[in-house]
Amino acid sequence: GGFGGLFDLKAAGWDDGASTVLIGATDGVGTKLRIAQATGRHGGVGIDLVAMCVNDLIVAGGEPLFFLDYYATGELSAEEAAEVVGGIAEGCKRANC
């Protein structure tokens, strides 16, 4: 826990009568990517990426509203990218974001 960045809307001047705090989180897949590359299976990387971000939101008391990240590569393999993005989509469905 403690990996989400909290943004207090009321403290920032947005006073809608509520005490709304947005929580942002970002994560990486780390060594899981090396395993995916070695096995040629990339779908789980996207699911894991979403899960780790959502976990950081939940332990801070939040709930997922959307998912924002990027896909960086030295050499694009459309097939691998499609697996990763498909995994991200599946992770978002599972997390309701």
Side-chain angles (χ1 to χ4, degrees):
F3 296 104
L6 282 66
F7 185 83
D8 186 342
L9 290 175
K10 192 171 189 176
W14 176 301
D15 189 1
D16 64 350
S19 180
T20 303
V21 176
L22 297 177
I23 307 169
T26 186
D27 213 324
V29 292
T31 56
K32 293 175 188 81
L33 186 56
R34 289 184 184 241
I35 295 168
Q37 289 170 334
T39 61
R41 297 172 59 193
H42 296 84
V45 171
I47 293 172
D48 186 66
L49 180 60
V50 174
M52 297 304 100
C53 289
V54 169
N55 183 59
D56 290 344
L57 298 174
I58 291 171
V59 298
E63 62 182 87
L65 301 174
F66 58 88
F67 183 78
L68 175 65
D69 213 323
Y70 68 96
Y71 184 86
T73 182
E75 184 177 328
L76 180 62
S77 163
E79 186 175 300
E80 289 176 5
E83 285 185 51
V84 173
V85 172
I88 291 171
E90 178 60 30
C92 286
K93 287 178 191 173
R94 292 181 187 187
N96 296 318
C97 61

PDB file of all heavy atoms in Angstrom, residues 7-52:
ATOM      1  N   PHE A   7      -5.077  13.277  -4.640  1.00  0.00           N
ATOM      2  CA  PHE A   7      -5.318  14.649  -5.058  1.00  0.00           C
ATOM      3  C   PHE A   7      -6.653  15.091  -4.488  1.00  0.00           C
ATOM      4  O   PHE A   7      -7.708  14.600  -4.896  1.00  0.00           O
ATOM      5  CB  PHE A   7      -5.320  14.747  -6.590  1.00  0.00           C
ATOM      6  CG  PHE A   7      -5.438  16.143  -7.102  1.00  0.00           C
ATOM      7  CD1 PHE A   7      -4.318  16.954  -7.211  1.00  0.00           C
ATOM      8  CD2 PHE A   7      -6.674  16.654  -7.466  1.00  0.00           C
ATOM      9  CE1 PHE A   7      -4.430  18.253  -7.682  1.00  0.00           C
ATOM     10  CE2 PHE A   7      -6.792  17.956  -7.943  1.00  0.00           C
ATOM     11  CZ  PHE A   7      -5.663  18.756  -8.047  1.00  0.00           C
ATOM     12  N   ASP A   8      -6.626  15.995  -3.532  1.00  0.00           N
ATOM     13  CA  ASP A   8      -7.823  16.493  -2.855  1.00  0.00           C
ATOM     14  C   ASP A   8      -8.434  17.612  -3.691  1.00  0.00           C
ATOM     15  O   ASP A   8      -7.883  18.712  -3.787  1.00  0.00           O
ATOM     16  CB  ASP A   8      -7.453  16.993  -1.467  1.00  0.00           C
ATOM     17  CG  ASP A   8      -8.657  17.408  -0.635  1.00  0.00           C
ATOM     18  OD1 ASP A   8      -9.742  17.641  -1.197  1.00  0.00           O
ATOM     19  OD2 ASP A   8      -8.486  17.490   0.590  1.00  0.00           O
ATOM     20  N   LEU A   9      -9.576  17.345  -4.302  1.00  0.00           N
ATOM     21  CA  LEU A   9     -10.224  18.332  -5.169  1.00  0.00           C
ATOM     22  C   LEU A   9     -10.641  19.585  -4.401  1.00  0.00           C
ATOM     23  O   LEU A   9     -10.521  20.703  -4.905  1.00  0.00           O
ATOM     24  CB  LEU A   9     -11.430  17.721  -5.871  1.00  0.00           C
ATOM     25  CG  LEU A   9     -11.122  16.677  -6.948  1.00  0.00           C
ATOM     26  CD1 LEU A   9     -12.414  16.062  -7.474  1.00  0.00           C
ATOM     27  CD2 LEU A   9     -10.323  17.277  -8.073  1.00  0.00           C
ATOM     28  N   LYS A  10     -11.133  19.414  -3.179  1.00  0.00           N
ATOM     29  CA  LYS A  10     -11.580  20.562  -2.386  1.00  0.00           C
ATOM     30  C   LYS A  10     -10.400  21.472  -2.058  1.00  0.00           C
ATOM     31  O   LYS A  10     -10.496  22.694  -2.161  1.00  0.00           O
ATOM     32  CB  LYS A  10     -12.271  20.085  -1.113  1.00  0.00           C
ATOM     33  CG  LYS A  10     -13.018  21.163  -0.381  1.00  0.00           C
ATOM     34  CD  LYS A  10     -13.853  20.573   0.727  1.00  0.00           C
ATOM     35  CE  LYS A  10     -14.763  21.625   1.327  1.00  0.00           C
ATOM     36  NZ  LYS A  10     -15.639  21.042   2.351  1.00  0.00           N
ATOM     37  N   ALA A  11      -9.275  20.884  -1.688  1.00  0.00           N
ATOM     38  CA  ALA A  11      -8.083  21.672  -1.385  1.00  0.00           C
ATOM     39  C   ALA A  11      -7.561  22.392  -2.622  1.00  0.00           C
ATOM     40  O   ALA A  11      -6.906  23.434  -2.516  1.00  0.00           O
ATOM     41  CB  ALA A  11      -6.994  20.768  -0.807  1.00  0.00           C
ATOM     42  N   ALA A  12      -7.869  21.869  -3.796  1.00  0.00           N
ATOM     43  CA  ALA A  12      -7.431  22.479  -5.047  1.00  0.00           C
ATOM     44  C   ALA A  12      -8.410  23.539  -5.552  1.00  0.00           C
ATOM     45  O   ALA A  12      -8.212  24.107  -6.615  1.00  0.00           O
ATOM     46  CB  ALA A  12      -7.240  21.408  -6.111  1.00  0.00           C
ATOM     47  N   GLY A  13      -9.481  23.794  -4.785  1.00  0.00           N
ATOM     48  CA  GLY A  13     -10.422  24.839  -5.167  1.00  0.00           C
ATOM     49  C   GLY A  13     -11.728  24.352  -5.743  1.00  0.00           C
ATOM     50  O   GLY A  13     -12.611  25.141  -6.050  1.00  0.00           O
ATOM     51  N   TRP A  14     -11.877  23.064  -5.943  1.00  0.00           N
ATOM     52  CA  TRP A  14     -13.125  22.508  -6.461  1.00  0.00           C
ATOM     53  C   TRP A  14     -14.005  22.179  -5.256  1.00  0.00           C
ATOM     54  O   TRP A  14     -13.789  21.187  -4.582  1.00  0.00           O
ATOM     55  CB  TRP A  14     -12.849  21.250  -7.268  1.00  0.00           C
ATOM     56  CG  TRP A  14     -14.081  20.554  -7.752  1.00  0.00           C
ATOM     57  CD1 TRP A  14     -15.086  20.057  -6.986  1.00  0.00           C
ATOM     58  CD2 TRP A  14     -14.438  20.275  -9.092  1.00  0.00           C
ATOM     59  NE1 TRP A  14     -16.037  19.474  -7.760  1.00  0.00           N
ATOM     60  CE2 TRP A  14     -15.668  19.601  -9.070  1.00  0.00           C
ATOM     61  CE3 TRP A  14     -13.840  20.528 -10.315  1.00  0.00           C
ATOM     62  CZ2 TRP A  14     -16.311  19.179 -10.219  1.00  0.00           C
ATOM     63  CZ3 TRP A  14     -14.490  20.092 -11.453  1.00  0.00           C
ATOM     64  CH2 TRP A  14     -15.701  19.435 -11.400  1.00  0.00           C
ATOM     65  N   ASP A  15     -14.984  23.000  -4.989  1.00  0.00           N
ATOM     66  CA  ASP A  15     -15.840  22.781  -3.820  1.00  0.00           C
ATOM     67  C   ASP A  15     -17.246  22.441  -4.283  1.00  0.00           C
ATOM     68  O   ASP A  15     -18.043  23.315  -4.592  1.00  0.00           O
ATOM     69  CB  ASP A  15     -15.854  24.018  -2.922  1.00  0.00           C
ATOM     70  CG  ASP A  15     -16.543  23.744  -1.594  1.00  0.00           C
ATOM     71  OD1 ASP A  15     -16.994  22.603  -1.353  1.00  0.00           O
ATOM     72  OD2 ASP A  15     -16.636  24.687  -0.795  1.00  0.00           O
ATOM     73  N   ASP A  16     -17.524  21.155  -4.367  1.00  0.00           N
ATOM     74  CA  ASP A  16     -18.854  20.701  -4.782  1.00  0.00           C
ATOM     75  C   ASP A  16     -19.672  20.237  -3.581  1.00  0.00           C
ATOM     76  O   ASP A  16     -20.672  19.562  -3.734  1.00  0.00           O
ATOM     77  CB  ASP A  16     -18.738  19.582  -5.830  1.00  0.00           C
ATOM     78  CG  ASP A  16     -18.068  18.334  -5.278  1.00  0.00           C
ATOM     79  OD1 ASP A  16     -17.533  18.387  -4.155  1.00  0.00           O
ATOM     80  OD2 ASP A  16     -18.072  17.307  -5.969  1.00  0.00           O
ATOM     81  N   GLY A  17     -19.201  20.592  -2.378  1.00  0.00           N
ATOM     82  CA  GLY A  17     -19.904  20.182  -1.170  1.00  0.00           C
ATOM     83  C   GLY A  17     -19.483  18.814  -0.679  1.00  0.00           C
ATOM     84  O   GLY A  17     -19.870  18.386   0.395  1.00  0.00           O
ATOM     85  N   ALA A  18     -18.699  18.127  -1.470  1.00  0.00           N
ATOM     86  CA  ALA A  18     -18.233  16.798  -1.078  1.00  0.00           C
ATOM     87  C   ALA A  18     -16.731  16.851  -0.787  1.00  0.00           C
ATOM     88  O   ALA A  18     -16.055  17.807  -1.131  1.00  0.00           O
ATOM     89  CB  ALA A  18     -18.501  15.789  -2.197  1.00  0.00           C
ATOM     90  N   SER A  19     -16.271  15.852  -0.163  1.00  0.00           N
ATOM     91  CA  SER A  19     -14.843  15.738   0.116  1.00  0.00           C
ATOM     92  C   SER A  19     -14.273  14.682  -0.826  1.00  0.00           C
ATOM     93  O   SER A  19     -14.025  13.556  -0.435  1.00  0.00           O
ATOM     94  CB  SER A  19     -14.624  15.329   1.574  1.00  0.00           C
ATOM     95  OG  SER A  19     -13.248  15.226   1.840  1.00  0.00           O
ATOM     96  N   THR A  20     -14.099  15.059  -2.078  1.00  0.00           N
ATOM     97  CA  THR A  20     -13.667  14.121  -3.106  1.00  0.00           C
ATOM     98  C   THR A  20     -12.153  14.124  -3.250  1.00  0.00           C
ATOM     99  O   THR A  20     -11.540  15.173  -3.405  1.00  0.00           O
ATOM    100  CB  THR A  20     -14.310  14.468  -4.463  1.00  0.00           C
ATOM    101  OG1 THR A  20     -15.727  14.467  -4.304  1.00  0.00           O
ATOM    102  CG2 THR A  20     -13.920  13.466  -5.527  1.00  0.00           C
ATOM    103  N   VAL A  21     -11.588  12.943  -3.198  1.00  0.00           N
ATOM    104  CA  VAL A  21     -10.150  12.776  -3.389  1.00  0.00           C
ATOM    105  C   VAL A  21      -9.941  11.794  -4.540  1.00  0.00           C
ATOM    106  O   VAL A  21     -10.489  10.694  -4.532  1.00  0.00           O
ATOM    107  CB  VAL A  21      -9.462  12.235  -2.109  1.00  0.00           C
ATOM    108  CG1 VAL A  21      -7.989  11.977  -2.349  1.00  0.00           C
ATOM    109  CG2 VAL A  21      -9.658  13.199  -0.947  1.00  0.00           C
ATOM    110  N   LEU A  22      -9.186  12.211  -5.536  1.00  0.00           N
ATOM    111  CA  LEU A  22      -8.826  11.313  -6.636  1.00  0.00           C
ATOM    112  C   LEU A  22      -7.518  10.623  -6.280  1.00  0.00           C
ATOM    113  O   LEU A  22      -6.632  11.235  -5.678  1.00  0.00           O
ATOM    114  CB  LEU A  22      -8.654  12.095  -7.939  1.00  0.00           C
ATOM    115  CG  LEU A  22      -9.880  12.812  -8.472  1.00  0.00           C
ATOM    116  CD1 LEU A  22      -9.514  13.595  -9.731  1.00  0.00           C
ATOM    117  CD2 LEU A  22     -10.994  11.830  -8.766  1.00  0.00           C
ATOM    118  N   ILE A  23      -7.402   9.369  -6.659  1.00  0.00           N
ATOM    119  CA  ILE A  23      -6.184   8.606  -6.404  1.00  0.00           C
ATOM    120  C   ILE A  23      -5.649   8.134  -7.738  1.00  0.00           C
ATOM    121  O   ILE A  23      -6.351   7.494  -8.511  1.00  0.00           O
ATOM    122  CB  ILE A  23      -6.448   7.398  -5.481  1.00  0.00           C
ATOM    123  CG1 ILE A  23      -7.147   7.846  -4.194  1.00  0.00           C
ATOM    124  CG2 ILE A  23      -5.145   6.658  -5.182  1.00  0.00           C
ATOM    125  CD1 ILE A  23      -7.677   6.693  -3.370  1.00  0.00           C
ATOM    126  N   GLY A  24      -4.399   8.440  -8.007  1.00  0.00           N
ATOM    127  CA  GLY A  24      -3.754   7.993  -9.235  1.00  0.00           C
ATOM    128  C   GLY A  24      -2.681   6.970  -8.907  1.00  0.00           C
ATOM    129  O   GLY A  24      -2.028   7.045  -7.868  1.00  0.00           O
ATOM    130  N   ALA A  25      -2.510   6.007  -9.778  1.00  0.00           N
ATOM    131  CA  ALA A  25      -1.501   4.980  -9.559  1.00  0.00           C
ATOM    132  C   ALA A  25      -0.874   4.581 -10.885  1.00  0.00           C
ATOM    133  O   ALA A  25      -1.532   4.605 -11.926  1.00  0.00           O
ATOM    134  CB  ALA A  25      -2.122   3.749  -8.893  1.00  0.00           C
ATOM    135  N   THR A  26       0.371   4.228 -10.836  1.00  0.00           N
ATOM    136  CA  THR A  26       1.065   3.719 -12.013  1.00  0.00           C
ATOM    137  C   THR A  26       1.964   2.577 -11.554  1.00  0.00           C
ATOM    138  O   THR A  26       2.380   2.523 -10.410  1.00  0.00           O
ATOM    139  CB  THR A  26       1.880   4.824 -12.724  1.00  0.00           C
ATOM    140  OG1 THR A  26       2.411   4.299 -13.927  1.00  0.00           O
ATOM    141  CG2 THR A  26       2.988   5.350 -11.849  1.00  0.00           C
ATOM    142  N   ASP A  27       2.226   1.669 -12.430  1.00  0.00           N
ATOM    143  CA  ASP A  27       3.036   0.509 -12.069  1.00  0.00           C
ATOM    144  C   ASP A  27       3.723  -0.001 -13.317  1.00  0.00           C
ATOM    145  O   ASP A  27       3.477   0.483 -14.412  1.00  0.00           O
ATOM    146  CB  ASP A  27       2.149  -0.580 -11.455  1.00  0.00           C
ATOM    147  CG  ASP A  27       2.874  -1.396 -10.393  1.00  0.00           C
ATOM    148  OD1 ASP A  27       4.085  -1.650 -10.561  1.00  0.00           O
ATOM    149  OD2 ASP A  27       2.232  -1.779  -9.410  1.00  0.00           O
ATOM    150  N   GLY A  28       4.548  -0.967 -13.154  1.00  0.00           N
ATOM    151  CA  GLY A  28       5.227  -1.611 -14.271  1.00  0.00           C
ATOM    152  C   GLY A  28       5.167  -3.113 -14.090  1.00  0.00           C
ATOM    153  O   GLY A  28       4.857  -3.603 -13.015  1.00  0.00           O
ATOM    154  N   VAL A  29       5.460  -3.828 -15.132  1.00  0.00           N
ATOM    155  CA  VAL A  29       5.368  -5.284 -15.061  1.00  0.00           C
ATOM    156  C   VAL A  29       6.684  -5.938 -14.670  1.00  0.00           C
ATOM    157  O   VAL A  29       6.733  -7.129 -14.393  1.00  0.00           O
ATOM    158  CB  VAL A  29       4.843  -5.875 -16.386  1.00  0.00           C
ATOM    159  CG1 VAL A  29       3.400  -5.477 -16.585  1.00  0.00           C
ATOM    160  CG2 VAL A  29       5.686  -5.439 -17.557  1.00  0.00           C
ATOM    161  N   GLY A  30       7.769  -5.171 -14.664  1.00  0.00           N
ATOM    162  CA  GLY A  30       9.049  -5.670 -14.176  1.00  0.00           C
ATOM    163  C   GLY A  30       9.518  -6.949 -14.834  1.00  0.00           C
ATOM    164  O   GLY A  30       9.468  -7.099 -16.054  1.00  0.00           O
ATOM    165  N   THR A  31       9.939  -7.895 -14.004  1.00  0.00           N
ATOM    166  CA  THR A  31      10.517  -9.135 -14.522  1.00  0.00           C
ATOM    167  C   THR A  31       9.487 -10.030 -15.195  1.00  0.00           C
ATOM    168  O   THR A  31       9.859 -10.941 -15.930  1.00  0.00           O
ATOM    169  CB  THR A  31      11.207  -9.923 -13.399  1.00  0.00           C
ATOM    170  OG1 THR A  31      10.271 -10.162 -12.349  1.00  0.00           O
ATOM    171  CG2 THR A  31      12.394  -9.157 -12.844  1.00  0.00           C
ATOM    172  N   LYS A  32       8.206  -9.765 -14.963  1.00  0.00           N
ATOM    173  CA  LYS A  32       7.170 -10.560 -15.643  1.00  0.00           C
ATOM    174  C   LYS A  32       7.286 -10.423 -17.154  1.00  0.00           C
ATOM    175  O   LYS A  32       6.954 -11.341 -17.897  1.00  0.00           O
ATOM    176  CB  LYS A  32       5.791 -10.153 -15.159  1.00  0.00           C
ATOM    177  CG  LYS A  32       5.549 -10.496 -13.712  1.00  0.00           C
ATOM    178  CD  LYS A  32       4.207  -9.958 -13.255  1.00  0.00           C
ATOM    179  CE  LYS A  32       4.045 -10.118 -11.773  1.00  0.00           C
ATOM    180  NZ  LYS A  32       4.726  -9.076 -10.998  1.00  0.00           N
ATOM    181  N   LEU A  33       7.764  -9.270 -17.606  1.00  0.00           N
ATOM    182  CA  LEU A  33       7.947  -9.063 -19.037  1.00  0.00           C
ATOM    183  C   LEU A  33       9.018  -9.992 -19.596  1.00  0.00           C
ATOM    184  O   LEU A  33       8.871 -10.543 -20.686  1.00  0.00           O
ATOM    185  CB  LEU A  33       8.306  -7.606 -19.326  1.00  0.00           C
ATOM    186  CG  LEU A  33       8.390  -7.229 -20.793  1.00  0.00           C
ATOM    187  CD1 LEU A  33       7.093  -7.557 -21.524  1.00  0.00           C
ATOM    188  CD2 LEU A  33       8.712  -5.757 -20.936  1.00  0.00           C
ATOM    189  N   ARG A  34      10.074 -10.214 -18.838  1.00  0.00           N
ATOM    190  CA  ARG A  34      11.127 -11.142 -19.288  1.00  0.00           C
ATOM    191  C   ARG A  34      10.577 -12.566 -19.420  1.00  0.00           C
ATOM    192  O   ARG A  34      10.914 -13.283 -20.355  1.00  0.00           O
ATOM    193  CB  ARG A  34      12.307 -11.125 -18.333  1.00  0.00           C
ATOM    194  CG  ARG A  34      13.099  -9.847 -18.419  1.00  0.00           C
ATOM    195  CD  ARG A  34      14.315  -9.925 -17.532  1.00  0.00           C
ATOM    196  NE  ARG A  34      14.993  -8.658 -17.553  1.00  0.00           N
ATOM    197  CZ  ARG A  34      16.233  -8.500 -17.978  1.00  0.00           C
ATOM    198  NH1 ARG A  34      16.918  -9.530 -18.408  1.00  0.00           N
ATOM    199  NH2 ARG A  34      16.792  -7.312 -17.955  1.00  0.00           N
ATOM    200  N   ILE A  35       9.732 -12.942 -18.489  1.00  0.00           N
ATOM    201  CA  ILE A  35       9.116 -14.269 -18.552  1.00  0.00           C
ATOM    202  C   ILE A  35       8.201 -14.358 -19.767  1.00  0.00           C
ATOM    203  O   ILE A  35       8.207 -15.356 -20.491  1.00  0.00           O
ATOM    204  CB  ILE A  35       8.359 -14.585 -17.248  1.00  0.00           C
ATOM    205  CG1 ILE A  35       9.353 -14.684 -16.084  1.00  0.00           C
ATOM    206  CG2 ILE A  35       7.538 -15.862 -17.380  1.00  0.00           C
ATOM    207  CD1 ILE A  35       8.719 -14.709 -14.721  1.00  0.00           C
ATOM    208  N   ALA A  36       7.430 -13.305 -20.009  1.00  0.00           N
ATOM    209  CA  ALA A  36       6.528 -13.275 -21.172  1.00  0.00           C
ATOM    210  C   ALA A  36       7.329 -13.380 -22.462  1.00  0.00           C
ATOM    211  O   ALA A  36       6.942 -14.113 -23.386  1.00  0.00           O
ATOM    212  CB  ALA A  36       5.696 -12.004 -21.163  1.00  0.00           C
ATOM    213  N   GLN A  37       8.437 -12.686 -22.532  1.00  0.00           N
ATOM    214  CA  GLN A  37       9.267 -12.735 -23.734  1.00  0.00           C
ATOM    215  C   GLN A  37       9.870 -14.132 -23.920  1.00  0.00           C
ATOM    216  O   GLN A  37       9.925 -14.634 -25.040  1.00  0.00           O
ATOM    217  CB  GLN A  37      10.367 -11.679 -23.653  1.00  0.00           C
ATOM    218  CG  GLN A  37       9.825 -10.278 -23.791  1.00  0.00           C
ATOM    219  CD  GLN A  37      10.860  -9.209 -23.465  1.00  0.00           C
ATOM    220  OE1 GLN A  37      11.792  -9.434 -22.705  1.00  0.00           O
ATOM    221  NE2 GLN A  37      10.677  -8.025 -24.044  1.00  0.00           N
ATOM    222  N   ALA A  38      10.292 -14.737 -22.826  1.00  0.00           N
ATOM    223  CA  ALA A  38      10.902 -16.066 -22.912  1.00  0.00           C
ATOM    224  C   ALA A  38       9.903 -17.137 -23.318  1.00  0.00           C
ATOM    225  O   ALA A  38      10.248 -18.082 -24.027  1.00  0.00           O
ATOM    226  CB  ALA A  38      11.547 -16.434 -21.573  1.00  0.00           C
ATOM    227  N   THR A  39       8.646 -16.982 -22.890  1.00  0.00           N
ATOM    228  CA  THR A  39       7.623 -17.995 -23.183  1.00  0.00           C
ATOM    229  C   THR A  39       6.788 -17.651 -24.413  1.00  0.00           C
ATOM    230  O   THR A  39       6.050 -18.498 -24.895  1.00  0.00           O
ATOM    231  CB  THR A  39       6.669 -18.171 -21.983  1.00  0.00           C
ATOM    232  OG1 THR A  39       6.003 -16.927 -21.731  1.00  0.00           O
ATOM    233  CG2 THR A  39       7.422 -18.619 -20.736  1.00  0.00           C
ATOM    234  N   GLY A  40       6.875 -16.394 -24.867  1.00  0.00           N
ATOM    235  CA  GLY A  40       6.065 -15.975 -26.011  1.00  0.00           C
ATOM    236  C   GLY A  40       4.605 -15.778 -25.664  1.00  0.00           C
ATOM    237  O   GLY A  40       3.753 -15.769 -26.539  1.00  0.00           O
ATOM    238  N   ARG A  41       4.306 -15.601 -24.379  1.00  0.00           N
ATOM    239  CA  ARG A  41       2.924 -15.413 -23.929  1.00  0.00           C
ATOM    240  C   ARG A  41       2.831 -14.047 -23.243  1.00  0.00           C
ATOM    241  O   ARG A  41       3.361 -13.869 -22.155  1.00  0.00           O
ATOM    242  CB  ARG A  41       2.531 -16.529 -22.974  1.00  0.00           C
ATOM    243  CG  ARG A  41       2.567 -17.891 -23.669  1.00  0.00           C
ATOM    244  CD  ARG A  41       2.382 -19.036 -22.709  1.00  0.00           C
ATOM    245  NE  ARG A  41       1.115 -18.922 -22.013  1.00  0.00           N
ATOM    246  CZ  ARG A  41       0.797 -19.640 -20.946  1.00  0.00           C
ATOM    247  NH1 ARG A  41       1.655 -20.529 -20.457  1.00  0.00           N
ATOM    248  NH2 ARG A  41      -0.369 -19.483 -20.364  1.00  0.00           N
ATOM    249  N   HIS A  42       2.147 -13.094 -23.881  1.00  0.00           N
ATOM    250  CA  HIS A  42       2.132 -11.719 -23.401  1.00  0.00           C
ATOM    251  C   HIS A  42       0.795 -11.243 -22.839  1.00  0.00           C
ATOM    252  O   HIS A  42       0.717 -10.156 -22.278  1.00  0.00           O
ATOM    253  CB  HIS A  42       2.567 -10.782 -24.531  1.00  0.00           C
ATOM    254  CG  HIS A  42       3.975 -11.006 -24.956  1.00  0.00           C
ATOM    255  ND1 HIS A  42       4.336 -11.977 -25.862  1.00  0.00           N
ATOM    256  CD2 HIS A  42       5.119 -10.403 -24.581  1.00  0.00           C
ATOM    257  CE1 HIS A  42       5.636 -11.956 -26.031  1.00  0.00           C
ATOM    258  NE2 HIS A  42       6.136 -11.009 -25.269  1.00  0.00           N
ATOM    259  N   GLY A  43      -0.252 -12.021 -22.970  1.00  0.00           N
ATOM    260  CA  GLY A  43      -1.575 -11.597 -22.514  1.00  0.00           C
ATOM    261  C   GLY A  43      -1.656 -11.332 -21.021  1.00  0.00           C
ATOM    262  O   GLY A  43      -2.307 -10.398 -20.573  1.00  0.00           O
ATOM    263  N   GLY A  44      -0.974 -12.139 -20.243  1.00  0.00           N
ATOM    264  CA  GLY A  44      -1.006 -11.977 -18.787  1.00  0.00           C
ATOM    265  C   GLY A  44      -0.322 -10.719 -18.306  1.00  0.00           C
ATOM    266  O   GLY A  44      -0.620 -10.215 -17.223  1.00  0.00           O
ATOM    267  N   VAL A  45       0.595 -10.189 -19.106  1.00  0.00           N
ATOM    268  CA  VAL A  45       1.310  -8.976 -18.726  1.00  0.00           C
ATOM    269  C   VAL A  45       0.323  -7.816 -18.573  1.00  0.00           C
ATOM    270  O   VAL A  45       0.383  -7.058 -17.608  1.00  0.00           O
ATOM    271  CB  VAL A  45       2.392  -8.631 -19.774  1.00  0.00           C
ATOM    272  CG1 VAL A  45       2.989  -7.265 -19.514  1.00  0.00           C
ATOM    273  CG2 VAL A  45       3.483  -9.682 -19.778  1.00  0.00           C
ATOM    274  N   GLY A  46      -0.595  -7.681 -19.504  1.00  0.00           N
ATOM    275  CA  GLY A  46      -1.583  -6.601 -19.441  1.00  0.00           C
ATOM    276  C   GLY A  46      -2.520  -6.747 -18.262  1.00  0.00           C
ATOM    277  O   GLY A  46      -2.824  -5.768 -17.567  1.00  0.00           O
ATOM    278  N   ILE A  47      -2.983  -7.959 -18.021  1.00  0.00           N
ATOM    279  CA  ILE A  47      -3.868  -8.210 -16.879  1.00  0.00           C
ATOM    280  C   ILE A  47      -3.144  -7.855 -15.589  1.00  0.00           C
ATOM    281  O   ILE A  47      -3.689  -7.190 -14.711  1.00  0.00           O
ATOM    282  CB  ILE A  47      -4.342  -9.676 -16.860  1.00  0.00           C
ATOM    283  CG1 ILE A  47      -5.251  -9.956 -18.048  1.00  0.00           C
ATOM    284  CG2 ILE A  47      -5.052 -10.001 -15.551  1.00  0.00           C
ATOM    285  CD1 ILE A  47      -5.604 -11.421 -18.226  1.00  0.00           C
ATOM    286  N   ASP A  48      -1.899  -8.282 -15.470  1.00  0.00           N
ATOM    287  CA  ASP A  48      -1.121  -8.018 -14.267  1.00  0.00           C
ATOM    288  C   ASP A  48      -0.890  -6.527 -14.067  1.00  0.00           C
ATOM    289  O   ASP A  48      -0.958  -6.013 -12.950  1.00  0.00           O
ATOM    290  CB  ASP A  48       0.217  -8.758 -14.333  1.00  0.00           C
ATOM    291  CG  ASP A  48       1.001  -8.638 -13.057  1.00  0.00           C
ATOM    292  OD1 ASP A  48       0.538  -9.176 -12.024  1.00  0.00           O
ATOM    293  OD2 ASP A  48       2.067  -7.986 -13.064  1.00  0.00           O
ATOM    294  N   LEU A  49      -0.622  -5.819 -15.141  1.00  0.00           N
ATOM    295  CA  LEU A  49      -0.393  -4.387 -15.054  1.00  0.00           C
ATOM    296  C   LEU A  49      -1.607  -3.669 -14.474  1.00  0.00           C
ATOM    297  O   LEU A  49      -1.491  -2.843 -13.557  1.00  0.00           O
ATOM    298  CB  LEU A  49      -0.064  -3.825 -16.438  1.00  0.00           C
ATOM    299  CG  LEU A  49       0.213  -2.332 -16.513  1.00  0.00           C
ATOM    300  CD1 LEU A  49       1.398  -1.949 -15.646  1.00  0.00           C
ATOM    301  CD2 LEU A  49       0.458  -1.935 -17.960  1.00  0.00           C
ATOM    302  N   VAL A  50      -2.780  -3.986 -14.969  1.00  0.00           N
ATOM    303  CA  VAL A  50      -4.010  -3.385 -14.453  1.00  0.00           C
ATOM    304  C   VAL A  50      -4.215  -3.783 -12.995  1.00  0.00           C
ATOM    305  O   VAL A  50      -4.526  -2.942 -12.144  1.00  0.00           O
ATOM    306  CB  VAL A  50      -5.235  -3.781 -15.305  1.00  0.00           C
ATOM    307  CG1 VAL A  50      -6.528  -3.277 -14.674  1.00  0.00           C
ATOM    308  CG2 VAL A  50      -5.097  -3.262 -16.721  1.00  0.00           C
ATOM    309  N   ALA A  51      -4.020  -5.052 -12.684  1.00  0.00           N
ATOM    310  CA  ALA A  51      -4.240  -5.546 -11.323  1.00  0.00           C
ATOM    311  C   ALA A  51      -3.358  -4.823 -10.307  1.00  0.00           C
ATOM    312  O   ALA A  51      -3.823  -4.465  -9.219  1.00  0.00           O
ATOM    313  CB  ALA A  51      -3.994  -7.050 -11.261  1.00  0.00           C
ATOM    314  N   MET A  52      -2.099  -4.601 -10.650  1.00  0.00           N
ATOM    315  CA  MET A  52      -1.192  -3.944  -9.707  1.00  0.00           C
ATOM    316  C   MET A  52      -1.587  -2.480  -9.492  1.00  0.00           C
ATOM    317  O   MET A  52      -1.538  -1.973  -8.378  1.00  0.00           O
ATOM    318  CB  MET A  52       0.255  -4.031 -10.185  1.00  0.00           C
ATOM    319  CG  MET A  52       0.801  -5.459 -10.278  1.00  0.00           C
ATOM    320  SD  MET A  52       0.685  -6.405  -8.732  1.00  0.00           S
ATOM    321  CE  MET A  52      -0.781  -7.398  -9.017  1.00  0.00           C
TER     322      MET A  52
END
